[in-house]
Amino acid sequence: MRIGILGTGNVARALAAGWSAAGHDVVLGSRRPKERTGVGFAVAGLEEAVADAEVVVNATPGTVSLDVLRTVGAAALAGKTLVDVGVGLSDDFTELAHPNSSLGELIQEAFPDTSVVKTLCTMDASVMKAPGALDGPSTVFLSGDSDAAKQLTGRLLGDLGWPPSAQLDIGGIGSSRGQEHFALLFTGIAGGLGTHVFNIDVVTRPTSR
């Protein structure tokens, strides 16, 4: 399918690489596409990247995501699935930009005719596209109000290497708050490990036989 990824940073390029390798047609969207050369993928203006996309991915910094999406406009996003991987953090990564809400919730509120799915925001970009490179299985979360949009997102996660057993649907878009607020713990774990290349796994009690 055609995927329009808003953003041209590390996250956008990592996801573009993963989905391109799986056979999808990927274009990156930028407010200044002519300045975004040498990124390794086609770069278009924001509106052009969204226009023909079956799925739109928000991979912009969470502090500017709403402004970027408003530039695109509600009409252009209506009826589409929007996969949101952004997290709003201060420049020094010590404070949440949305401490009493989440970017996912705010996007869904601002664009009610778009099906927003929050995922992939609890890990580094390198893990997003290559979970199999870690030393064991781990978990990726999905939050959203549309079951169909979450199913579509789940298939795209599978194309990045996340099997269904690694995907955990944690509920409606309100649950994206937990995903985003994990960012503070993520930075702490990264400091303790000395690397950002890790993920968490949800482990449950063995089922009775």
Side-chain angles (χ1 to χ4, degrees), residues 10 30 41 52 55 68 84 106 130 140 163 179 186-187 207:
N10 292 336
S30 171
F41 300 96
D52 298 323
V55 174
V68 170
D84 174 35
L106 295 174
V140 61
Q179 291 198 55
F186 177 92
T187 58
T207 56

Side-chain angles (χ1 to χ4, degrees), residues 9-10 14 29 33 53 68 98 103 119-120 127 132 145 154 162 165 175 181 184 203:
N10 292 336
V68 170
H98 311 105
L103 178 61
T119 191
L120 289 170
V127 178
D145 294 335
W162 297 95
S165 60
S175 65
H181 290 192
L184 298 181
V203 181

